[in-house]
């Protein structure tokens, strides 16, 4: 990984609040779990920073990390959708400036602004896709007893995942 950006929970909350919330899908089970029955319906819902932070950190539903990673991908998709459909170029510049204060990255502000401007200019041509690794059918789940208690483990077929990922990205098995 040559370029990275990370954000902590408080920074995520601040960023979403700066955006006046983001719209993400919620299931009836998620709404009930959070106690939001009076304010949310299954389907697309506007979340505040505090609500979004709670939603993407949730590990309790489904008792695994797969649901949590789906919720995080949904949030990233919502951020992308909002800045590419609702923001002007000036608002996007302000967003990048604000994000620079809450995101830890090795990308310079000038480069981040350059990336954002390019995305803005080509936004109608960009198709954002999200997925998860390992691919279904290429791993087995289990439990391992550790001195600290039981740990969830995933045994992964790395070669199989690499081949499938290369095929998705490049249309062939690629070179090793």
């Amino acid at each position: 990984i040559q370029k990275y950006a990370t954000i902590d929970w408080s920074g995520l909350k601040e960023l979403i609040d700066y955006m006046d919330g983001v719209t993400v899908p919620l299931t009836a089970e998620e709404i009930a779990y959070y106690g939001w029955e009076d304010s949310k319906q299954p389907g697309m819902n506007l979340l505040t920073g505090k609500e979004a932070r709670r939603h993407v950190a949730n590990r309790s539903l489904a008792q695994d990390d797969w649901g949590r990673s789906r919720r995080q991908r949904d949030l990233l998709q919502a951020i992308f959708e909002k800045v590419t459909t609702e923001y002007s170029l000036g608002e996007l510049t302000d967003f990048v400036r604000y994000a620079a204060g809450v995101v830890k990255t090795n990308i310079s502000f000038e480069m981040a602004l350059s990336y954002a401007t390019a995305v803005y200019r080509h936004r109608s041509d960009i198709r954002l896709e999200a997925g998860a690794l390992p691919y279904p059918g290429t791993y087995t789940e289990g439990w391992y007893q550790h001195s600290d208690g039981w740990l969830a483990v995933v045994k992964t077929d790395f070669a199989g995942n690499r081949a499938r990922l290369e095929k998705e990205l490049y249309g062939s098995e690629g070179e090793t």
Side-chain angles (χ1 to χ4, degrees):
I1 299 174
Q2 296 174 6
K3 301 291 184 188
Y4 70 88
T6 64
I7 191 166
D8 63 18
W9 292 127
S10 64
L12 178 70
K13 179 189 169 301
E14 290 176 35
L15 190 67
I16 300 303
D17 284 339
Y18 175 84
M19 299 175 73
D20 294 325
V22 291
T23 303
V24 299
L26 295 175
T27 66
E29 181 184 25
E30 289 165 339
I31 292 168
Y33 178 79
Y34 306 131
W36 295 343
E37 295 91 346
D38 292 340
S39 60
K40 312 283 186 219
Q41 301 270 331
M44 301 304 286
N45 289 270
L46 181 68
L47 299 185
T48 65
K50 183 178 179 181
E51 291 168 336
R53 185 254 182 257
R54 183 174 183 202
H55 182 57
V56 299
N58 175 1
R59 287 183 196 237
S60 297
L61 296 175
Q63 299 295 312
D64 62 28
D65 240 12
W66 305 116
R68 182 179 189 221
S69 67
R70 179 205 35 92
R71 288 186 282 278
Q72 292 171 356
R73 288 190 308 274
D74 288 346
L75 182 71
L76 291 173
Q77 176 80 34
I79 292 168
F80 178 82
E81 290 296 324
K82 187 161 189 171
V83 300
T84 58
T85 62
E86 297 180 24
Y87 282 30
S88 68
L89 188 54
E91 290 169 323
L92 182 58
T93 300
D94 291 343
F95 174 79
V96 171
R97 186 171 287 109
Y98 183 84
V102 296
V103 171
K104 182 180 176 182
T105 182
N106 67 345
I107 301 170
S108 70
F109 173 76
E110 293 77 17
M111 186 58 68
L113 194 54
S114 172
Y115 291 155
T117 302
V119 166
Y120 182 81
R121 287 195 174 122
H122 301 284
R123 65 191 178 277
S124 64
D125 299 325
I126 295 174
R127 189 181 83 231
L128 187 62
E129 294 181 17
L133 291 173
Y135 289 99
T138 66
Y139 64 90
T140 55
E141 296 179 86
W143 293 93
Y144 170 75
Q145 187 170 9
H146 186 267
S147 60
D148 294 333
W150 287 93
L151 303 175
V153 295
V154 177
K155 183 177 179 184
T156 305
D157 172 6
F158 288 104
N161 276 278
R162 179 180 177 183
R164 285 180 65 176
L165 181 60
E166 287 177 347
K167 187 172 184 179
E168 266 189 47
L169 294 175
Y170 306 115
S172 67
E173 298 300 317
E175 296 180 22
T176 48

